[in-house]
Amino acid sequence: MPKCTDGTIDLGRVGRRVIEANFEGGDIGSDGGVLLLRRVDERIGLSRTAAAVLSDPRDPARITHSLRDLLAQRIYGLCCGYEDLNDHDTLRDDLLMQTAVGRVDPLASSPTLSRLETRATRAQAVALHGVLIEQFIANHKSSPDELVLDIDASDVPLHGAQERCEFHAYYDHHCYLPLYVFCGQAMLACVLRRSRIDGAKNAAAVIKLLVQRLRQAWPDARIIVRGDSGFCRQRLLRWCERSGVNYIVGLARNARLEATVQYAEAMLADEYARTGTKQRLIDEFVYAADSWDIERRVITRLEHGSQGNNPRFVVTDLQGDAIQLYERLYCARGEAENRIKEAQLDLFGTRASCHRFASNQLRLLLAALAYTLMQRLRELALKGSELERAAAATIRVRLLKIGAAIVRNTRRVRVLLASHHPLRSVFLSAAQALAP
C-alpha cells in the first residue's frame, strides 16, 4: 500500500530523490492539437455550413447547445479518437474541447447527441452531401483541367437488429454496403445502402448528380469516372457516353475475353518457361458483351509467372496509349481504397450502432465531415512537413494528442503545451499557416 499523506502519493525513489504525486495539477488535457482543428473549421466553415443546411425542430427558447456546437463537438471528437457517444459524458467537461467548440461551459451530453442522430432524416443526408461537394468546389481557386471520380463500395459490419440489416455472402457477415465517391483525396459522397443488392446500384444516379454540380462550377473541366469491375454496368457506361463523361472501368473476366487473349497468354507461358522470369503484356482489342449495344475498347493486362496466368481487363472510351492508360490512370484507382480505409477505420465510419437506417447514414456522414476536416488540415497546414501525406490516425497520435495544461479566466484561455513535444516545429508552422 502506498503511503498517502495530505493527498500526496509515495511512488518510490530515484536515487536519493523521493517520487511523490498528487491530483493538484489543475486542468490538464490530452488533446492540445484540437485547437488546430478549430482553426481549420473556422477557415473553411465546415461545421457552420453543415448546421445551416440542417433543420432543427427543437424549441429555440429551450436550446442550450446550438446545432453548430453539436456538430462541431461530434466532428472534433471523431478526429481526436472519441468514437462513441458515451465518451462525451466525460469529454463535455474537457476545457480543451470546450475551447475548440467555442464555449466556456459544459458541452452536450451523450443523450443530447443521441437525439441529434435519432431524428436524422433522408433530407438531412442529401443536404450534408451537398456540403461535401461544396467544400470540394470551394477548395479550388481556379477551374481544374481534369477531374477523376473514383467510385467504390465497402462494407459496414452490423452486430444488431438495425433496419435493413442483411447478410452479404462475399463479406460473410451482416452489413451495410455504402457507396463512396472520391476525387483525389476529397470525399464527394458516401451513400449508405442495404447489402443485398448489386454493388453498382445507385452508382449512375450518384455520378449524375455530382457531374451536374461540378459542371455548373467548371463547365470546361474534363470528367473521368473510374471504378473496378463491379461498376461495369451498361446503364453507367451509356450515361457517360451520352453525357460526355469519360470512363475507365474494370471488366470482369469471362470465357469470351479469355478466348480472345489465349494465344497471347500461350506466348507468355512459353517465354516464362524459357527464361524463368515473370512475363507481362498490355494490349487492347474491341469487345461487346451480349447486353451491350455497341463495341467498346478493352485494354488487357496479361501476366504469367509461377502461379500461372493472371489476366486483367479494363473497358474505356479514352484515347491514348494503352500502357499509359492502364498503368498511370487505372492502377491509381487503388488510392481511393486507402481513403475509404482512412474514413472507416481512422475516423470510425463503421460505427453503425443506431437502430434506424437514417441515423446510421448520418453517422457515416459525420465521419465524412471529420475526414474532410482532417484532409483540409493536411492541405492547409501540413504541406512540406513530415505529416503532409500521413493518415488521419497518424496525425491524431503525433499532432493532436499533445498534453496541455489549461488556465482559463475572464480575460483569456492559456493553453500550456508540452515543452518537449517532438513535433513542436510542425505545430508552430501549422498554427502560423492557419492564422487569420
Side-chain angles (χ1 to χ4, degrees):
M1 293 289 292
K3 294 177 61 178
C4 301
T5 306
D6 297 329
T8 299
I9 305 170
D10 183 358
L11 296 176
R13 306 177 71 90
V14 175
R16 295 184 176 183
R17 295 176 175 86
V18 177
I19 305 175
E20 296 180 348
N22 59 49
F23 287 94
E24 299 176 4
D27 293 305
I28 299 176
S30 61
D31 302 304
V34 71
L35 299 178
L36 293 178
L37 296 178
R38 169 188 168 90
R39 281 293 199 189
V40 177
D41 192 12
E42 289 175 340
R43 173 78 68 87
I44 67 176
L46 183 64
S47 62
R48 183 178 65 253
T49 305
V53 301
L54 298 181
S55 59
D56 191 349
R58 298 176 296 170
D59 183 355
R62 298 174 180 268
I63 291 177
T64 302
H65 307 283
S66 69
L67 191 55
R68 180 266 160 194
D69 289 350
L70 294 178
L71 291 172
Q73 179 182 344
R74 191 77 167 92
I75 294 169
Y76 298 168
L78 289 171
C79 291
C80 290
Y82 303 104
E83 57 185 298
D84 291 318
L85 292 185
N86 56 13
D87 293 329
H88 290 268
D89 287 333
T90 301
L91 198 62
R92 67 193 301 247
D93 296 315
D94 184 275
L95 298 192
L96 280 171
M97 189 61 69
Q98 290 178 10
T99 302
V101 174
R103 298 179 66 100
V104 293
D105 54 352
L107 300 175
S109 63
S110 60
T112 301
L113 293 171
S114 178
R115 286 189 289 271
L116 171 67
E117 295 180 354
T118 54
R119 64 172 178 262
T121 64
R122 183 177 179 180
Q124 289 181 337
V126 173
L128 288 177
H129 273 105
V131 172
L132 292 178
I133 186 68
E134 294 303 328
Q135 283 288 327
F136 173 71
I137 293 172
N139 185 30
H140 290 75
K141 296 181 180 179
S142 59
S143 174
D145 296 328
E146 182 178 278
L147 297 169
V148 180
L149 304 184
D150 285 302
I151 187 166
D152 207 349
S154 186
D155 66 312
V156 172
L158 300 177
H159 307 284
Q162 289 95 331
E163 287 183 346
R164 306 185 193 180
C165 174
E166 296 174 341
F167 185 82
H168 195 287
Y170 177 80
Y171 293 108
D172 197 28
H173 55 223
H174 289 80
C175 63
Y176 291 138
L177 194 69
L179 179 72
Y180 291 91
V181 181
F182 286 83
C183 186
Q185 295 194 357
M187 187 188 299
L188 304 187
C190 53
V191 181
L192 196 64
R193 306 174 299 174
R194 47 189 283 263
S195 64
R196 197 175 296 171
I197 58 171
D198 177 14
K201 185 178 178 62
N202 307 125
V206 171
I207 291 294
K208 179 180 179 180
L209 292 173
L210 291 174
V211 168
Q212 286 177 347
R213 181 64 189 97
L214 292 172
R215 281 190 166 159
Q216 288 176 0
W218 304 308
D220 298 326
R222 181 189 192 186
I223 300 177
I224 302 173
V225 174
R226 181 168 61 187
D228 63 19
S229 60
F231 295 92
C232 185
R233 299 292 184 270
Q234 175 81 335
R235 181 181 179 186
L236 178 59
L237 300 185
R238 292 186 64 182
W239 179 86
C240 289
E241 291 162 348
R242 291 196 309 267
S243 306
V245 175
N246 297 118
Y247 58 84
I248 182 165
V249 180
L251 180 62
R253 69 176 73 176
N254 57 50
R256 284 180 57 197
L257 290 172
E258 291 177 344
T260 303
V261 300
Q262 62 180 340
Y263 296 111
E265 288 183 326
M267 179 190 67
L268 294 181
D270 292 342
E271 190 65 16
Y272 174 75
R274 187 181 68 84
T275 63
T277 58
K278 187 176 183 179
Q279 300 298 307
R280 192 170 190 267
L281 173 68
I282 295 179
D283 205 348
E284 64 178 282
F285 55 89
V286 294
Y287 167 82
D290 292 338
S291 61
W292 295 1
D293 54 351
I294 61 172
E295 291 186 330
R296 294 184 170 95
R297 182 187 187 189
V298 172
I299 298 173
T300 179
R301 187 230 62 196
L302 306 176
E303 287 183 347
H304 190 97
S306 60
Q307 297 181 346
N309 292 323
N310 183 24
R312 291 287 186 275
F313 302 96
V314 174
V315 60
T316 183
D317 67 341
L318 291 167
Q319 303 298 315
D321 180 67
I323 296 177
Q324 299 294 322
L325 287 175
Y326 183 83
E327 293 188 337
R328 295 196 176 182
L329 182 59
Y330 181 73
C331 289
R333 183 192 62 81
E335 182 62 19
E337 296 180 2
N338 294 331
R339 304 284 71 79
I340 292 175
K341 292 177 182 177
E342 186 176 7
Q344 288 195 332
L345 303 180
D346 295 358
L347 295 165
F348 315 109
T350 60
R351 296 291 294 178
S353 304
C354 297
H355 172 69
R356 295 183 62 241
F357 184 83
S359 300
N360 288 316
Q361 171 69 87
L362 178 59
R363 282 197 164 196
L364 188 65
L365 282 163
L366 289 174
L369 294 174
Y371 172 90
T372 300
L373 190 62
M374 293 292 274
Q375 172 57 22
R376 297 294 282 137
L377 174 64
R378 271 193 294 252
E379 294 178 350
L380 294 174
L382 300 180
K383 278 189 176 180
S385 73
E386 60 187 276
L387 297 179
E388 180 179 8
R389 296 178 59 83
T394 302
I395 295 174
R396 175 191 303 136
V397 171
R398 302 194 62 192
L399 191 65
L400 302 186
K401 291 295 184 180
I402 303 178
I406 308 98
V407 180
R408 187 169 70 185
N409 56 38
T410 56
R411 297 183 59 190
R412 69 179 67 182
V413 178
R414 299 185 65 197
V415 179
L416 309 176
L417 301 171
S419 302
H420 300 289
H421 190 268
L423 293 185
R424 176 177 177 175
S425 60
V426 176
F427 189 98
L428 290 173
S429 63
Q432 184 176 8
L434 295 171

